[in-house]
Amino acid sequence: MSSVSETAVAASVRTDACAREQIHIPEAIQDRGALLGLDARGRLVHASANADAVLGVKARAWGCRIEELLPPEAGAGLLGHLAELPDTDGAPLVLGTVTVAAGEHALLAHRGGDGGFVVELERQRPEDVTRTVGGVTRMLREVHPTVVASAGIDALCGIVAAEVQRLTRFDRVMVYRFDEDASGVVLADRHLPEMADYLDLRFPAADIPPQARELYRRSTVRFVGDVNAPTIPLERAGDTPLDLTFAGLRALSPVHLQYLRNMGAGASMSVSILDEGRLWGLIACQHRTAHRVPPEIRALCEFLALAFGLRLPGQRAADRAEGRRRRAEARARILQDAPAAGGPEALNPERLMDVVESDGAAICSTAGISCHGHTPPPAAIAEIAAGVRELSHHGVWSTRALATDLPEVGPAVTAGGGLLAVALPGGSGDLALWFRREVAETVAWAGDPRKPVAVDAGGRLSPRGSFAVWAETVRGRSAAWSQDDLDAAAELRTALAAALARHAAALLKLNTALTRSNEELDAFAYTASHDLTEPLRGIHNYARFTLEDHGDALGDTGRDKLDAIVRLTVRMELVIDSLLQISRLGRAEVLVGDVDVDALLAEVVELQAGAIGDHHVEVRVDAPLGTIRSDATKLREILLNLVANAVKYAADRDVRWVQIRTRRDGDDAILEVRDNGIGIAPEHVEDVFKLFRRLHERDAYGGGVGAGLAIVQRLATRLGGTIDVLSVPGSGTAFTVRLPQGGSDD
Amino acid sequence: MTERVVLAIEDSEEDIFALRRTMKLVAPDVLLTHAPDAEAGLQRMRSGRVDLVLLDLNLPGLSGRQLLERLRLEGGTPTPIVVLSTSAHPGDVSACYQLGAKGYVRKPVDLDRFRELVAAVLGYWLDAVEPPPTESAVP
């Protein structure tokens, strides 16, 4: 507890101290040269305190012209050069070499505020020029093409670090990226073998305060050749201090210098890497002792950082496109499964893991839970799903720490780790869940981030003194879900919704088509029966009329033949009617209700009264038949056909009966119609339900076309039931209709 | 007693021939008049006495159902109309009754059965039934 508050206090102290410091107007320069500030007309208004000594002239004659201060060969063309300086912000241009009292110097200039100019003289050695020339050639011919062609950010960082080290000869060159929380991580580190490796090390955000990051964004190169050298104060004619934002000689803030000394650096350079105007990271260089980097070499490093920055948007787009492509492929595979079964239960959790990188995935639907990989047990998933549904009814929900964000779910359930959940379309609360295991995540801080400041012996604040690796272990949390992860989950949801909608539309279309084709089939059956019957009736009538009008003239043979035509046409009509009836059975609607079987039998007996009387058949009902849950019309048809069949095939004996019984057998109702008729030969039992299959001579047993039992069997099937026959030739037949009662109502 | 008139709206030569023969046999005192299509049938209904219409559904041009529909749109007719059709599609049967037909008879192939049916229909509609009073007769 106490360490937390100390951290907070320390952080605020540090922030305040840095916020007060105006780092772009330090009113001092580094000691490796001299600086002159000119007004818009080229007259002297600022000068570093060492200007007299460096130039060997009386410099601080405020208002004197710049040509008067420099040797004639340098001074003469200078005003022209100044006028040609670019208007935009930027690092100083190297205008040439000038030899003054303190020796050979590079002459640099850039535009200052208020239309004025800043002229810098930086000490140089003869070999600097040669290094520079070689560097430019190499940069254009080899390095730049490599940077442009490199594949991936990591490769790019390696190339840039190596090349900057080669150019600058620093002991250490790092490529350092800022994260969203402004802390930074080292992506590449080139250093001497004996030095510690900083790769993957993380630097706290406070190491580079906000106004420094803003300065770094505007002015891309900073170089300090000797952190221990004294700074040279700036003097001025007027009241306004000189803005040194872009000056190469700008003195670093004392806090920054102390930070570098604490890090063990004698010299330092950093070059900003900008990504579409945003500070993406730094090329950070350090030397254990004082070190020299000529201005033109620094410009080459700046060029390299620029080339690096220009690669970033394209690389980022390519990375994301590749990720999107992979995820889209995975999504397509998932969608192949989904619509077939029409619901989330068809989704495969293993395939979910291709869409979002995770350790485990689960589908939690009304049909149950299916999971793959490293997930909590199903019971725990159900609890988590219930918790998530309360938190978010729609869309996507995620956490890196289940234990913290879903505390109401039992602790055994959420030992830790992360969850990404997306509500599946359909509104039934189904979820797709991705799990990431808790990582005992180790952040390697460069020094203890909770102690960014220290108070030195003199009572002054100074940056933390130790950069020894300080490992912080983070518990209960998973790796973070990226925006791409969340987007992928949301896209999956959208795609599933679209697929389900398409599926529903297809089903609707199919249903409509089925209904239409049923209606067409029905109409066809009637039309066919109508068109067959009409000519049949014509044939029948003309045969009859011929018999009536010319019967006497025809003789017996002629009359017999016409009689045959008449008989056949009547039979043909029966066949057509049976076909029509059967063709309609499969499509007829089934209306289930409680059917009074006694009443039904009474109707049937009345309808068959003629035949029953003619054949002297007794209808026996020993016990009330009760009710059967079925379709009344179809059951009547079944009973009618069975009774008619029994009457038709009554045996030649004194007492002829047909007996009707009902009973229950489990969930089924049984309707039994038995008779003591002629029976069916065993070899024909299988044939009785076949359409138009007659077992007897055409005109025996009252004729008929052999459709009755076929119709009965189709009706029983339509009602979800079965029909069986048991027969002993010569003693009788029993038909058993079994109709399910408990199940579905269709 | 004035002569009763039956109008058969029927396009089939064979069927009208069979009907004519049948009526000579079962109702020799009833006059059969014939219209081969619905338009002619409507005209005949408007132009003179008709006591019963025997209507086929399957007619060229305006169908039997459409004829019933038109009659109903025109306010109905006091003349009973009985449909005589080869088919008995449930949709047709119920539509005809809804459109005001007084009966629906399926033409059987068996001539004896046909004669029984025609005798029954004519006996019922021409002899047994008291027709509704004509409008002018309503007090």
Side-chain angles (χ1 to χ4, degrees):
Chain A
M1 197 63 200
S2 70
S3 77
V4 170
S5 59
E6 275 169 24
T7 306
V9 169
S12 75
V13 165
R14 181 175 164 73
T15 310
D16 285 357
C18 287
R20 278 196 300 273
E21 190 174 355
Q22 305 264 25
I23 55 177
H24 63 292
I25 43 171
E27 301 189 63
I29 62 165
Q30 297 174 40
D31 78 335
R32 63 175 192 277
L35 184 142
L36 306 171
L38 310 178
D39 66 12
R41 291 179 302 152
R43 304 191 186 259
L44 188 69
V45 285
H46 299 270
S48 55
N50 62 353
D52 291 358
V54 170
L55 296 172
V57 295
K58 177 72 181 155
R60 258 151 305 167
W62 299 126
C64 78
R65 293 153 52 89
I66 182 72
E67 307 95 285
E68 298 165 25
L69 300 172
L70 295 175
E73 70 277 11
L78 186 59
L79 278 181
H81 283 308
L82 292 182
E84 286 168 12
L85 283 173
D87 289 334
T88 50
D89 285 354
L93 283 187
V94 181
L95 300 179
T97 301
V98 60
T99 305
V100 288
E104 192 178 308
H105 286 72
L107 181 64
L108 301 93
H110 67 278
R111 289 187 187 274
D114 300 330
F117 303 93
V118 178
V119 176
E120 295 172 276
L121 291 90
E122 187 170 336
R123 271 200 304 280
Q124 74 174 22
R125 292 180 189 159
E127 71 267 24
D128 289 350
V129 179
T130 335
R131 270 177 76 186
T132 307
V133 170
V136 169
T137 309
R138 183 179 158 73
M139 182 66 61
L140 295 179
R141 297 254 169 90
E142 294 174 40
V143 182
H144 185 251
T146 316
V147 166
V148 170
S150 67
I153 298 286
D154 285 346
L156 200 54
C157 291
I159 293 167
V160 167
E163 194 55 33
V164 169
Q165 192 181 38
R166 178 198 284 268
L167 282 166
T168 61
R169 299 168 188 174
F170 270 109
D171 291 343
R172 179 195 297 280
V173 176
M174 296 180 282
V175 176
Y176 177 95
R177 188 193 69 215
F178 291 107
D179 278 347
E180 279 168 20
D181 63 0
S183 72
V185 62
V186 177
L187 300 182
D189 183 14
R190 298 275 300 196
H191 55 78
L192 298 181
E194 65 270 25
M195 295 172 79
D197 195 61
Y198 286 178
L199 187 65
D200 293 333
L201 218 60
R202 191 164 280 275
F203 288 81
D207 276 15
I208 304 177
Q211 80 275 32
R213 289 198 295 274
E214 173 57 18
L215 182 74
Y216 291 1
R217 198 183 60 75
R218 295 184 60 210
S219 164
T220 58
V221 189
R222 296 142 296 280
F223 170 65
V224 53
D226 184 355
V227 301
N228 295 306
T231 57
I232 314 294
L234 265 187
E235 296 169 353
R236 58 176 184 254
D239 296 330
T240 317
L242 186 60
D243 183 340
L244 294 184
T245 296
F246 297 100
L249 291 175
R250 177 175 62 86
L252 297 194
S253 107
V255 175
H256 189 175
L257 287 173
Q258 186 59 47
Y259 177 90
L260 291 172
R261 282 193 286 268
N262 290 350
M263 243 182 145
S268 156
M269 181 177 88
S270 73
V271 187
S272 310
I273 300 168
L274 300 183
D275 177 7
E276 297 184 319
R278 197 179 54 87
L279 185 64
W280 179 87
L282 300 172
I283 302 170
C285 313
Q286 285 172 10
H287 213 71
R288 285 171 298 183
T289 56
H291 189 59
R292 281 174 30 77
V293 180
E296 295 256 90
I297 295 292
R298 304 202 302 265
L300 282 175
C301 294
E302 198 185 354
F303 173 77
L304 207 49
L306 183 73
F308 185 123
L310 289 175
R311 277 293 313 275
L312 288 171
Q315 187 64 48
R316 197 171 46 242
D319 286 351
R320 297 198 73 175
E322 171 61 17
R324 270 198 304 275
R325 194 190 57 74
R326 261 190 300 108
R327 287 161 193 260
E329 272 179 17
R331 204 164 56 230
R333 284 194 297 275
I334 287 174
L335 292 179
Q336 277 173 358
D337 304 341
E345 58 274 13
L347 294 178
N348 177 347
E350 188 176 355
R351 288 195 167 166
L352 281 187
M353 292 174 65
D354 299 336
V355 176
V356 175
E357 202 178 301
S358 53
D359 296 312
I363 300 291
C364 188
S365 75
T366 42
I369 290 169
S370 59
C371 40
H372 182 82
H374 187 272
T375 66
I381 292 179
E383 244 185 282
I384 291 170
V388 169
R389 280 190 203 105
E390 265 178 42
L391 286 167
S392 153
H393 293 285
H394 304 289
V396 180
W397 186 83
S398 73
T399 173
R400 296 178 65 180
L402 265 172
T404 315
D405 288 339
L406 274 181
E408 68 277 16
V409 176
V413 165
T414 54
L419 167 70
L420 170 56
V422 58
L424 294 174
S428 49
D430 299 339
L431 294 169
L433 305 166
W434 289 267
F435 293 93
R436 275 185 187 167
R437 271 192 277 199
E438 171 189 12
V439 272
E441 192 182 356
T442 303
V443 182
W445 291 103
D448 185 346
R450 292 180 301 187
K451 292 180 180 164
V453 293
V455 180
D456 69 12
R460 291 187 310 166
L461 290 172
S462 69
R464 63 201 149 88
S466 169
F467 282 85
V469 172
W470 190 90
E472 181 188 12
T473 303
V474 183
R475 292 216 165 271
R477 287 155 67 89
S478 72
W481 304 100
S482 69
Q483 188 58 47
D484 279 352
D485 292 329
L486 303 182
D487 290 349
E491 279 164 18
L492 176 65
R493 174 185 151 83
T494 310
L496 274 176
L500 288 181
R502 274 197 304 276
H503 184 59
L507 267 186
L508 186 70
K509 211 169 141 187
L510 195 65
N511 265 335
T512 312
L514 268 178
T515 307
R516 195 175 52 231
S517 86
N518 260 343
E519 284 166 2
E520 281 169 3
L521 212 60
D522 212 33
F524 169 78
Y526 272 98
T527 306
S529 111
H530 176 275
D531 290 355
L532 288 171
T533 308
E534 227 173 31
L536 192 63
R537 198 170 54 240
I539 294 167
H540 177 95
N541 284 347
Y542 285 118
R544 284 293 303 273
F545 297 154
T546 308
L547 275 171
E548 285 171 7
D549 298 349
H550 313 289
D552 292 343
L554 285 171
D556 284 349
T557 334
R559 278 197 302 275
D560 285 351
K561 286 175 180 160
L562 282 180
D563 278 337
I565 292 179
V566 168
R567 224 170 30 245
L568 287 173
T569 49
V570 171
R571 179 175 163 73
M572 177 99 178
E573 187 190 23
L574 280 174
V575 171
I576 293 170
D577 282 354
S578 302
L579 276 177
L580 178 62
Q581 196 183 353
I582 281 179
S583 84
R584 302 199 67 223
L585 284 183
R587 298 188 302 276
E589 207 180 343
V590 174
L591 300 166
V592 173
D594 288 327
V595 182
D596 179 345
V597 185
D598 293 296
L600 213 61
L601 181 65
E603 287 177 41
V604 165
V605 169
E606 200 180 321
L607 277 169
Q608 291 283 307
I612 291 170
D614 290 350
H615 290 82
H616 308 289
V617 176
E618 179 192 342
V619 178
R620 290 183 177 175
V621 179
D622 300 336
L625 300 172
T627 61
I628 289 179
R629 198 162 165 72
S630 191
D631 177 306
T633 312
K634 291 179 179 54
L635 196 56
R636 185 199 292 112
E637 194 71 17
I638 288 174
L639 197 55
L640 180 70
N641 273 291
L642 291 179
V643 169
N645 196 71
V647 169
K648 193 186 277 183
Y649 298 106
D652 187 9
R653 62 178 116 235
D654 291 345
V655 182
R656 306 149 159 234
W657 49 259
V658 53
Q659 184 182 43
I660 294 96
R661 291 193 295 199
T662 55
R663 63 189 159 90
R664 296 292 293 223
D665 180 21
D667 282 340
D668 298 338
I670 309 289
L671 170 68
E672 197 181 72
V673 179
R674 55 188 305 159
D675 59 53
N676 63 344
I678 59 170
I680 305 162
E683 65 267 29
H684 290 140
V685 164
E686 282 184 10
D687 290 341
V688 293
F689 298 118
K690 287 186 180 162
L691 185 59
F692 301 141
R693 179 82 173 87
R694 284 182 55 87
L695 304 181
H696 304 278
E697 289 164 52
R698 183 164 290 171
D699 293 320
Y701 301 103
V705 295
L709 292 178
I711 289 172
V712 167
Q713 191 187 41
R714 280 166 173 75
L715 284 169
T717 306
R718 190 81 182 94
L719 294 174
T722 57
I723 181 165
D724 287 306
V725 60
L726 206 72
S727 184
V728 178
S731 74
T733 305
F735 287 97
T736 307
V737 180
R738 177 179 289 267
L739 297 168
Q741 301 293 287
S744 65
D745 277 5
D746 86 328
Chain B
M1 195 177 184
T2 43
E3 189 175 48
R4 271 87 41 90
V5 179
V6 169
L7 168 64
I9 306 178
E10 168 68 78
D11 69 317
S12 159
E13 296 279 355
E14 292 79 26
D15 281 357
I16 204 71
F17 181 71
L19 182 63
R20 204 175 288 286
R21 260 184 92 110
T22 298
M23 281 185 59
K24 251 181 214 151
L25 206 65
V26 303
D29 54 337
V30 176
L31 178 72
L32 175 67
T33 150
H34 170 229
D37 60 54
E39 292 291 354
L42 281 169
Q43 217 161 10
R44 177 63 189 80
M45 283 175 77
R46 291 183 189 118
S47 61
R49 175 184 174 130
V50 174
D51 296 285
L52 174 67
V53 177
L54 298 177
L55 175 67
D56 186 23
L57 289 185
N58 203 15
L59 293 170
L62 205 63
S63 75
R65 262 171 80 159
Q66 286 168 318
L67 178 142
L68 288 169
E69 217 169 321
R70 180 178 296 185
L71 280 174
R72 198 180 61 158
L73 283 173
E74 289 171 0
T77 170
T79 314
I81 299 176
V82 172
V83 173
L84 266 186
S85 170
T86 305
S87 114
H89 190 289
D92 281 342
V93 179
S94 56
C96 288
Y97 279 113
Q98 270 169 26
L99 290 170
K102 290 288 192 289
Y104 194 111
V105 174
R106 202 182 142 196
K107 293 183 213 166
V109 168
D110 186 352
L111 185 62
D112 293 333
R113 180 79 187 127
F114 181 66
R115 284 172 176 164
E116 283 169 29
L117 287 172
V118 171
V121 168
L122 296 189
Y124 181 80
W125 286 109
L126 298 182
D127 295 333
V129 169
E130 185 71 37
T134 51
E135 266 175 60
S136 55
V138 176

